[in-house]
Amino acid sequence: MSSLPTPAPMVTPITSEFWEATSRGEFLLQKCDECQTIVWFPRKHCPECWTTKLSTFTASGRGTVYSFTVIRKVANEYKAATPFVVGYVELAEGPRIMTNIVDCDPESVTVGMDVEMVFHDTGEGNALYRFRPVVGP
Ligand SMILES: [Zn+2]
């Protein structure tokens, strides 16, 4: 198992604040000022009430594994990193996000496992968010 590639994301005017924060090790979420919905992924409108009144805050970076799979074969630049884990983590704030579970044996990952966010620098002014098992309390 080697390191996962860190391809730079496509940054748009709507996501630029989010990606800039990842360079500081921060994961931003939005909260609707009208209906209080926590919004993932970055967007201009609340997906529940359609207001444009959204505030941004830094997430805790903690969550639990909601679902996952172990990727054992791929035919792209991720081939050297197999086996690796792709899954959904349910953030402490509620949203479920697609990610990788890293820094552990893929066979040790379980649904419900406590995980914390880590950031992998893309070398282009931002970082990819991934998760590792929480060690200790
Ligand atoms: Zn709303």
Side-chain angles (χ1 to χ4, degrees), residues 14-133:
I14 294 173
T15 63
S16 63
E17 180 184 10
F18 172 83
W19 288 114
E20 183 180 290
T22 62
S23 71
R24 303 187 301 272
E26 295 180 23
F27 184 90
L28 300 182
L29 288 171
Q30 293 171 304
K31 184 174 183 180
C32 177
D33 295 340
E34 297 289 338
C35 75
Q36 313 306 312
T37 295
I38 304 294
V39 179
W40 169 251
F41 46 90
R43 48 189 123 184
K44 281 185 164 181
H45 299 83
C46 172
E48 296 299 322
C49 73
W50 298 100
T51 183
T52 57
K53 296 175 186 167
L54 296 171
S55 299
T56 299
F57 67 100
T58 302
S60 67
R62 301 293 285 256
T64 56
V65 175
Y66 176 77
S67 181
F68 72 97
T69 189
V70 178
I71 306 297
R72 300 177 195 284
K73 282 191 171 187
V74 292
N76 60 23
E77 65 270 26
Y78 285 75
K79 184 175 185 177
T82 58
F84 61 91
V85 178
V86 174
Y88 273 94
V89 164
E90 185 170 283
L91 299 176
E93 292 81 4
R96 293 177 186 148
I97 66 173
M98 184 176 270
T99 188
N100 299 114
I101 312 299
V102 299
D103 299 343
C104 64
D105 178 353
E107 305 304 327
S108 71
V109 175
T110 58
V111 169
M113 169 186 265
D114 291 327
V115 290
E116 62 187 2
M117 199 171 278
V118 294
F119 292 88
H120 292 170
D121 190 353
T122 66
E124 296 191 26
N126 47 46
L128 302 181
Y129 48 89
R130 290 169 171 154
F131 287 81
R132 68 182 176 203

